[in-house]
Amino acid sequence: ELLPSPNLFGASPVERAQVRKWARLFDQEVVVPMTMGFRAGAGRPMFAPRMSVVSPEAGAELSAMADEKWRMFDGFLGESYHIALSRFTFADLLIFAFANFGFTVGWKLPEGTGNLARFVATHNQRDCAAIWQEAQ
């Protein structure tokens, strides 16, 4: 709010509601099951000593649920380069950053997410995305 340009959260109450809707939906439908699935599976050695994790079987189910929701978001995105508004917003940033973080731990976008692959590849061309290339 101190530096409102570029505006990532919306310029009006309606735009802010749209951005919050998409960010919250992604958080609940993808981030939560995907992180819980990772903690119970590939991340188990790192997380199990520090926190409660679900069984490996439940982790696999949660990961599959997250994959299904990635495909759902792929459909919502369609041919667009932005999920909430016709410009880059916090909702896009959340999806973009979460996908790139996943790539750093060996995760890949699930099959059937060509729109999201295009979205990530396009936004990886942004100057601010250099952090992901440096992490590889």
Side-chain angles (χ1 to χ4, degrees):
E1 295 198 15
L2 294 174
L3 302 169
S5 182
N7 186 305
L8 294 178
F9 289 93
S12 71
V14 171
E15 283 188 354
R16 286 190 292 277
Q18 290 173 334
V19 171
R20 283 194 311 267
K21 173 190 85 170
W22 288 107
R24 184 73 172 138
L25 185 63
F26 183 76
D27 200 28
Q28 287 184 309
E29 298 293 335
V30 176
V31 173
V32 171
M34 189 171 162
T35 55
M36 290 182 68
F38 177 77
R39 289 174 187 163
R44 188 175 204 86
M46 179 174 35
F47 287 98
R50 298 184 291 135
M51 62 179 57
S52 297
V53 295
V54 298
S55 70
E57 296 80 16
E61 291 175 3
L62 286 161
S63 294
M65 289 170 59
D67 284 354
E68 177 186 326
K69 298 306 180 176
W70 277 107
R71 286 187 282 276
M72 179 183 79
F73 271 85
D74 186 83
F76 291 148
L77 182 64
E79 296 298 315
S80 180
Y81 290 92
H82 309 290
I83 196 78
L85 306 176
S86 60
R87 60 184 171 76
F88 194 75
T89 67
F90 176 74
D92 300 305
L93 178 61
L94 180 62
I95 295 167
F96 168 76
F98 198 71
N100 272 304
F101 174 75
F103 300 155
T104 68
V105 295
W107 174 82
K108 293 180 179 19
L109 281 166
E111 287 188 34
T113 57
N115 294 327
L116 283 165
R118 174 186 44 77
F119 168 89
V120 171
T122 298
H123 292 298
N124 266 326
Q125 301 305 308
R126 299 169 72 93
D127 290 341
C128 61
I131 191 170
W132 300 112
Q133 285 79 36
E134 293 168 10
Q136 296 176 7

